[in-house]
Amino acid sequence: MSAATILAEAYGESANLYTDVLNVSSDATPSQLRKAYYKLCLKYHPDKLSPNLTNDQKELAKKKFQAISLAYTILSDEEKRKEYDETGDLYDDDEDLSSRKEGMKQWTDYFDAVFPKVTTADIDAFEVKYKCSDEEEEDVLKYYAQFKGDLNKMVECVMLSSDADKERWVKDYINPAIEKGDVEDYKDMIKKTVGSVPSKNKKTTKGSGKKKVDEAELDDSEEDDDDVPMAQVVNDEEESSKETSTSKKKASKAAPKKKTKTTKKKGSSEDDLIDQIRGNALARNRQDGFDSLMAGLEERYGGGKKKKGKKASGGDIDDAEFERIQADMMKKKKSRK
């Protein structure tokens, strides 16, 4: 955007840099030009505008701010000012003179002069002036009434304050104000918070609190041990060793799992032996039953007479009869199982 366009949009096409823009005479000195420039910049700077302005008003103020910067850039330069005085033409070597580094440097220098840098030494000097001053007393009583005597909250709001200032506030400011009737009496809250720290600094986990209690108990036990005679300590150690051995014995008795395993092993071996004996007896019974069956068959089919001490002779049974007898025996065997 050209210089002529910036000036025309803000103040009109025929606007004069001296009278219309900077509000100074054409023969103004450099000092007068600079003073007028700074004054108008504070008025139209985008950060200094009232929030109640409309968008159109803010846009116009922005254009005027750019035009003011342009006018000062031209008139503060001797050659450019001489050319403007003679011809009325605007020096336009850049499309946007307000954004030039030279103009930015001027703004930087100006605001550094108006708002100097704050150092730690400045803060310390201010603290010395603020502490025990009327301004501090006013702030303390203000927040005392606002927080109803909660000194922890007051420390967070009063400038340059710490927990060490609580007692001084109560003695120098709060108690006299209560006696005069200037503020209400919140002595219960004062007693509650004068020696405490803010609750956010008190927050601890359950584990840490338990740890602190354990450490305290440990310290107490160590202190108690220092007062115990040596003989008593030796006796206590012997008793504790006896108790430890007794507890180990009880623990060994209370462990049934290992013994159950061995018992199971012994029980299983005994069961196997009993089963083996029963199997042998069952086998003998089966053999005796088979022999008696065969003897009965021989007696029945071998002539009707049973010979003592000898097997019946003659009369062998056929295959079909043998298979029937075998099938009956297998059924009896299955039914027994």
Side-chain angles (χ1 to χ4, degrees):
M1 187 181 294
S2 64
T5 304
I6 294 173
L7 186 62
E9 288 181 355
Y11 294 95
E13 295 182 357
S14 59
N16 183 276
L17 296 183
Y18 291 99
T19 57
D20 297 328
V21 180
L22 297 180
N23 295 326
V24 295
S25 61
S26 58
D27 58 349
T29 63
S31 177
Q32 291 174 338
L33 289 173
R34 184 168 55 254
K35 185 176 180 180
Y37 167 66
Y38 290 155
K39 183 178 179 180
L40 292 171
C41 283
L42 289 175
K43 181 179 179 180
Y44 294 106
H45 193 279
D47 294 338
K48 302 295 182 180
L49 297 177
S50 173
N52 297 327
L53 296 178
T54 63
N55 292 333
D56 293 338
Q57 290 173 335
K58 291 180 180 179
E59 186 65 22
L60 180 60
K62 179 180 177 181
K63 292 177 180 179
K64 286 186 176 182
F65 178 78
Q66 293 175 348
I68 292 166
S69 299
L70 171 64
Y72 182 73
T73 302
I74 294 173
L75 299 180
S76 60
D77 187 280
E78 187 176 351
E79 293 182 1
K80 295 176 182 179
R81 180 178 181 179
K82 184 177 180 181
E83 182 180 352
Y84 176 77
D85 292 339
E86 292 176 354
T87 62
D89 296 331
L90 300 176
Y91 187 84
D92 196 8
D93 60 316
D94 193 351
E95 291 185 354
D96 192 1
L97 294 178
S98 62
S99 63
R100 292 174 60 182
K101 292 182 179 179
E102 207 174 293
M104 292 297 295
K105 185 177 182 305
Q106 291 174 354
W107 272 112
T108 303
D109 294 341
Y110 169 70
F111 281 107
D112 287 343
V114 175
F115 306 105
K117 293 181 180 179
V118 179
T119 63
T120 54
D122 296 333
I123 296 175
D124 294 339
F126 177 77
E127 183 177 2
V128 172
K129 293 180 181 179
Y130 179 75
K131 288 292 181 72
C132 301
S133 65
D134 294 338
E135 185 179 1
E136 186 192 34
E137 181 179 5
E138 182 180 352
D139 292 340
V140 169
L141 295 179
K142 170 187 173 183
Y143 292 115
Y144 170 80
Q146 180 176 345
F147 297 120
K148 297 182 178 180
D150 191 335
L151 296 174
N152 291 331
K153 293 182 179 180
M154 292 170 59
V155 170
E156 297 177 0
C157 297
V158 178
M159 291 187 297
L160 304 170
S161 62
S162 64
D163 293 330
D165 296 318
K166 292 179 181 178
E167 293 182 1
R168 180 175 61 84
W169 290 347
V170 174
K171 181 180 178 181
D172 297 343
Y173 304 145
I174 298 175
N175 285 341
I178 293 174
E179 293 176 359
K180 294 178 183 179
D182 296 338
V183 294
E184 295 186 21
D185 188 354
Y186 299 113
K187 287 186 178 180
D188 292 338
M189 180 58 71
I190 292 174
K191 291 179 181 179
K192 183 179 179 181
T193 58
V194 68
S196 64
V197 294
S199 58
K200 62 181 180 180
N201 295 332
K202 283 187 173 182
K203 290 182 179 178
T204 56
T205 59
K206 294 182 178 178
S208 62
K210 186 177 180 181
K211 185 177 180 182
K212 290 181 179 178
V213 173
D214 294 340
E215 290 177 354
E217 292 177 353
L218 181 61
D219 294 338
D220 294 338
S221 63
E222 289 178 354
E223 291 177 359
D224 295 338
D225 291 342
D226 293 339
D227 299 332
V228 178
M230 183 59 68
Q232 185 176 352
V233 173
V234 173
N235 294 330
D236 292 340
E237 289 180 353
E238 291 178 355
E239 291 179 359
S240 62
S241 62
K242 291 180 180 179
E243 291 177 357
T244 304
S245 61
T246 305
S247 62
K248 287 183 179 179
K249 290 180 180 179
K250 290 181 179 179
S252 61
K253 291 181 180 180
K257 292 185 178 179
K258 293 184 179 179
K259 289 192 174 183
T260 52
K261 290 183 179 179
T262 56
T263 305
K264 286 182 180 179
K265 289 182 180 179
K266 292 181 179 179
S268 61
S269 62
E270 292 176 357
D271 292 340
D272 293 340
L273 181 59
I274 293 171
D275 291 340
Q276 186 176 0
I277 294 171
R278 288 178 179 177
N280 294 336
L282 183 61
R284 286 194 299 271
N285 292 334
R286 288 178 180 176
Q287 183 66 33
D288 294 341
F290 181 75
D291 291 341
S292 61
L293 176 63
M294 295 302 295
L297 290 174
E298 289 178 357
E299 183 180 357
R300 182 177 179 181
Y301 296 101
K305 293 182 179 180
K306 182 178 179 181
K307 296 180 179 180
K308 296 182 181 179
K310 293 184 180 179
K311 292 182 180 180
S313 61
D316 295 334
I317 62 175
D318 57 1
D319 295 336
E321 184 67 14
F322 180 80
E323 291 177 357
R324 185 185 66 76
I325 295 170
Q326 187 179 14
D328 292 337
M329 291 177 66
M330 293 299 293
K331 286 182 181 180
K332 292 179 179 180
K333 186 177 180 179
K334 290 180 179 180
S335 63
R336 288 177 181 176
K337 291 182 177 180

